[in-house]
């Protein structure tokens, strides 16, 4: 009998068994077939043995926490930076506000530095330079990713604001609205539909990039996958598993984004 093949049980009286043939022996010992036969026990050890699936759920909850906190912080920072830069660019010649110019310079430096350096390096600086004594690495990851998202979201919002016809702002000012009221009631609602696809892409990117906070010890999905892989001496099942989890939620987010875009498109055609 070939090595690794289980012995065939003795047939019961009256039972019919297909006896092994040279082809079935070769097929069973074919390396890809053996590899697929071993997948079941490997995935069982990675997900179900010792209730390890609970660790993945804990990591998934932390992943969502970081994503939500980062996108909220990014929206606040991005909206502020976009409005400052848009207001500065729309000033009339000869009527420049020096304070606004100074704040605009700070915003330009912020977006240039954040967009010009890798997110991984930024997270490491937040964790081991700025907050080197902080033990709550999840919070540090939220801050690092939120500041990073703010730079990209500011450019997305600024592009949407600049895409609106300048006559809309002039009409609002002629009606007696202040700059901020004009932005809130006239410009931003029109710009929202223009920036929605880019904002959806930024949300998906943030959700996937939460795996980077594993480098500072934040206990999200990748952190637990690495721990389980080190305990079972088999990294393939947990890493493939979390990749499928990421893919599943990205598909859902993309579907929701498309549905919202179609809904807004229907309102435009009415």
């Amino acid at each position: 009998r070939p090595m690794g093949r289980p012995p065939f049980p003795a047939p019961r009286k009256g039972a019919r068994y297909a006896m092994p043939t040279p082809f079935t022996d070769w097929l069973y010992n074919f390396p890809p077939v053996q590899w697929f036969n071993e997948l079941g026990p490997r995935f069982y050890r990675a997900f179900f043995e010792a209730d390890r699936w609970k660790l993945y759920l804990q990591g998934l909850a932390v992943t969502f926490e970081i994503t939500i906190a980062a996108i909220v912080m990014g929206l606040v920072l991005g909206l502020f930076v976009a409005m400052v830069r848009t207001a500065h660019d729309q000033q009339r010649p000869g009527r420049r506000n020096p304070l606004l110019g100074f704040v605009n310079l700070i915003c330009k430096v912020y977006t240039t530095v954040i967009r010009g350096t890798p997110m991984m390096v930024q997270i490491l600086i937040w964790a081991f330079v700025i907050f080197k004594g902080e033990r709550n690495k999840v919070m540090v990851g939220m801050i690092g990713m939120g500041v990073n998202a703010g730079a990209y979201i500011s450019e997305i919002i600024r592009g949407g604001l600049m895409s609106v016809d300048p006559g809309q702002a002039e009409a609002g000012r002629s009606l007696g609205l202040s700059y901020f009221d004009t932005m809130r009631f006239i410009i931003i609602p029109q710009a929202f539909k223009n920036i929605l696809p880019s904002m959806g892409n930024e949300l998906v990117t943030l959700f996937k990039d939460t795996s980077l906070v594993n480098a500072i010890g934040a206990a999200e999905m990748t952190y637990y996958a690495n721990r389980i892989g080190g305990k079972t001496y088999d990294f393939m099942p947990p890493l493939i598993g979390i990749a499928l989890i990421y893919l599943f939620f990205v598909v859902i987010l993309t579907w929701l984004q498309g549905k919202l875009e179609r809904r807004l498109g229907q309102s435009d055609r009415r």
Side-chain angles (χ1 to χ4, degrees), residues 15 76 142 157 197-198:
V76 173
M142 291 177 181
I157 296 177
S198 298

Side-chain angles (χ1 to χ4, degrees), residues 66-112:
I66 296 175
T67 303
I68 294 172
I71 198 68
V72 170
M73 186 183 303
L75 281 172
V76 173
L77 283 173
L79 184 60
F80 173 77
V81 172
M83 292 184 68
V84 167
R85 297 198 62 188
T86 303
H88 178 270
D89 295 341
Q90 292 179 347
Q91 291 182 107
R92 296 177 181 177
R95 301 182 61 180
R96 300 284 181 177
N97 187 330
L99 178 60
L100 184 60
F102 177 72
V103 177
N104 177 70
L105 177 62
I106 295 176
C107 292
K108 290 181 70 174
V109 172
Y110 160 67
T111 55
T112 301

Side-chain angles (χ1 to χ4, degrees), residues 150-197:
Y152 289 93
I153 292 176
S154 68
E155 291 301 301
I156 293 172
I157 296 177
R158 189 169 75 94
L161 295 177
M162 299 298 288
S163 67
V164 179
D165 193 319
Q168 299 289 322
E170 295 175 1
R173 300 300 293 271
S174 66
L175 292 174
L177 297 177
S178 65
Y179 172 78
F180 290 101
D181 286 340
T182 303
M183 296 293 290
R184 183 173 60 170
F185 295 116
I186 299 177
I187 305 299
I188 293 179
Q190 297 182 61
F192 176 74
K193 288 182 285 188
N194 297 334
I195 68 175
L196 182 59

Side-chain angles (χ1 to χ4, degrees), residues 121-132:
V121 176
Q122 296 171 24
I123 292 174
L124 294 175
I125 291 174
W126 282 104
F128 302 121
V129 178
I130 300 176
F131 295 111
K132 60 181 179 181

Side-chain angles (χ1 to χ4, degrees), residues 19-149:
M19 298 304 294
T21 64
F23 174 75
T24 57
D25 289 338
W26 172 84
L27 183 63
Y28 188 88
N29 290 279
F30 190 51
V33 175
Q34 288 186 338
W35 185 79
F36 277 106
N37 286 338
E38 294 171 357
L39 281 182
R42 292 169 68 183
F43 273 92
Y44 176 82
R45 286 193 302 270
F47 286 90
F48 300 103
E49 191 174 86
D51 289 336
R52 292 190 176 115
W53 57 272
K54 296 180 180 179
L55 298 177
Y56 294 98
L57 290 182
Q58 293 177 14
L60 181 62
V62 173
T63 296
F64 279 120
E65 290 176 8
I66 296 175
T67 303
I68 294 172
I71 198 68
V72 170
M73 186 183 303
L75 281 172
V76 173
L77 283 173
L79 184 60
F80 173 77
V81 172
M83 292 184 68
V84 167
R85 297 198 62 188
T86 303
H88 178 270
D89 295 341
Q90 292 179 347
Q91 291 182 107
R92 296 177 181 177
R95 301 182 61 180
R96 300 284 181 177
N97 187 330
L99 178 60
L100 184 60
F102 177 72
V103 177
N104 177 70
L105 177 62
I106 295 176
C107 292
K108 290 181 70 174
V109 172
Y110 160 67
T111 55
T112 301
V113 171
I114 295 299
R115 295 171 65 201
T117 54
M119 185 188 292
M120 173 67 79
V121 176
Q122 296 171 24
I123 292 174
L124 294 175
I125 291 174
W126 282 104
F128 302 121
V129 178
I130 300 176
F131 295 111
K132 60 181 179 181
E134 178 61 49
R135 302 185 63 180
N136 189 350
K137 300 302 182 183
V138 173
M139 184 196 69
V140 175
M142 291 177 181
I143 295 174
M145 296 195 66
V147 171
N148 180 276

